[in-house]
Amino acid sequence: MKLVVLRKKFFATIAVAVFAAIAVCCVVPATVQAFGKNGRKLPIYRVETEEKKIAISFDCAWGVDYTDKLLSIMKENDVVCTFFTVEFWTKKYPEYVKKIDDAGHDIGTHSATHPYMSKLNKETIIKELETSSAAITAITGKKVEVFRPPYGDYNNLLIETAYEKGLYPIQWDVDSLDWKNLSAKEIESRVLGKIKNGSIVLFHNNGLHTAEALPAIIKGAKEKGYEFVKISDLIYRENFSMAADGSQIKNN
């Protein structure tokens, strides 16, 4: 009798372990983020891939002076990209949101008011994400899937909340520094010297010399064998982990 009881306990323990393993496997992968140094959760800086694909992105918060030129260059070169728009920009320039969407580019949210979001509580973060996404969807009719924190500023709460709201938080591994008003040649040299498989490049739609630098960057990247894709087509949607440097890695 004692042996039977022990066997029952043994099999019960095995059953609990199996169910626990299944439960872990069934967790939505996008919500399980690896930690970087000091236990910090990370947005996606780049994607670890053997494919020669890169994504260029434009943050839109101030003005539209060069946006038509950027769209024209990308159309001429058959290139797609991702725009991150702040809610007040989205509402001020709805015709440009529509132009961007009609041209086949991605549109992600860059927050509602462009704050330092690591300083916000969860309720305010949710409002920033929800209202800014809704403003884009109201124009495009499409669900917003990617989010870039203003100033590249984030903390664990922001990353966790973004995923809870169905948004993939996106950073960058190549900063064009166009916001520093570098010359077109300096921007070109900087970007082409830093891109690698899975890179995400940061530009601004109102950078003083961005449009001037873009044709040479596209030409140079294509000569290196790179294909330009939207961030939503570059990232892994599930079954991934994050390296300490912010690289998104596909799990085996």
Side-chain angles (χ1 to χ4, degrees):
M1 178 64 92
K2 195 171 190 180
L3 184 59
V4 171
V5 172
L6 288 173
R7 282 180 175 175
K8 284 183 177 179
K9 286 184 177 179
F10 173 75
F11 286 115
T13 302
I14 294 297
V16 170
V18 170
F19 280 117
I22 291 172
V24 170
C25 290
C26 290
V27 171
V28 178
T31 66
V32 182
Q33 290 300 292
F35 288 83
K37 293 180 179 179
N38 302 318
R40 196 178 192 195
K41 289 193 174 182
L42 299 170
I44 300 167
Y45 282 73
R46 62 172 294 272
V47 174
E48 187 67 39
T49 177
E50 294 182 1
E51 297 182 308
K52 292 186 72 67
K53 293 181 177 182
I54 60 174
I56 58 176
S57 59
F58 299 90
D59 287 358
C60 305
W62 318 109
V64 292
D65 295 355
Y66 309 106
T67 307
D68 283 314
K69 182 63 175 175
L70 293 172
L71 289 171
S72 176
I73 291 169
M74 286 185 285
K75 182 178 180 180
E76 290 169 4
N77 290 277
D78 193 25
V79 166
V80 289
C81 70
T82 302
F83 286 83
F84 290 96
T85 68
V86 179
E87 183 178 338
F88 56 73
W89 190 94
T90 300
K91 290 183 172 180
K92 185 174 182 179
Y93 304 107
E95 70 278 14
Y96 276 91
V97 176
K98 191 172 189 316
K99 280 184 184 181
I100 292 167
D101 180 59
D102 288 346
H105 305 296
D106 254 355
I107 303 178
T109 173
H110 195 34
S111 80
T113 62
H114 208 269
Y116 284 94
M117 295 185 76
S118 68
K119 299 180 180 180
L120 307 180
N121 60 32
K122 185 165 185 173
E123 181 181 4
T124 307
I125 289 172
I126 289 173
K127 184 178 179 181
E128 285 277 336
L129 297 176
E130 287 185 341
T131 63
S132 58
S133 295
I136 296 167
T137 300
I139 298 170
T140 66
K142 298 174 182 175
K143 182 180 182 294
V144 177
E145 298 181 312
V146 291
F147 156 65
R148 173 169 286 157
Y151 310 106
D153 172 60
Y154 61 90
N155 59 6
N156 283 3
L157 178 62
L158 178 61
I159 301 304
E160 291 166 358
T161 306
Y163 276 113
E164 287 174 12
K165 302 309 294 183
L167 295 166
Y168 292 84
I170 306 297
Q171 201 79 331
W172 61 85
D173 68 313
V174 180
D175 187 348
S176 69
L177 294 184
D178 60 349
W179 54 276
K180 285 190 172 183
N181 294 335
L182 299 184
S183 69
K185 196 65 182 175
E186 287 173 321
I187 295 171
E188 174 196 344
S189 177
R190 180 177 178 81
V191 172
L192 291 179
K194 291 180 176 294
I195 54 173
K196 55 187 175 182
N197 292 8
S199 279
I200 297 174
V201 187
L202 171 66
F203 292 104
H204 296 79
N205 74 307
N206 225 33
L208 187 61
H209 299 295
T210 307
E212 186 183 348
L214 193 58
I217 290 171
I218 292 172
K219 182 176 183 292
K222 285 186 174 182
E223 287 175 349
K224 291 185 176 185
Y226 289 108
E227 174 188 357
F228 292 89
V229 298
K230 296 179 286 188
I231 288 175
S232 63
D233 292 330
L234 179 67
I235 62 175
Y236 303 121
R237 301 304 188 91
E238 58 183 10
N239 195 30
F240 65 83
S241 57
M242 299 298 300
D245 65 353
S247 295
Q248 187 194 38
I249 301 170
K250 183 73 170 176
N251 295 335
N252 293 327

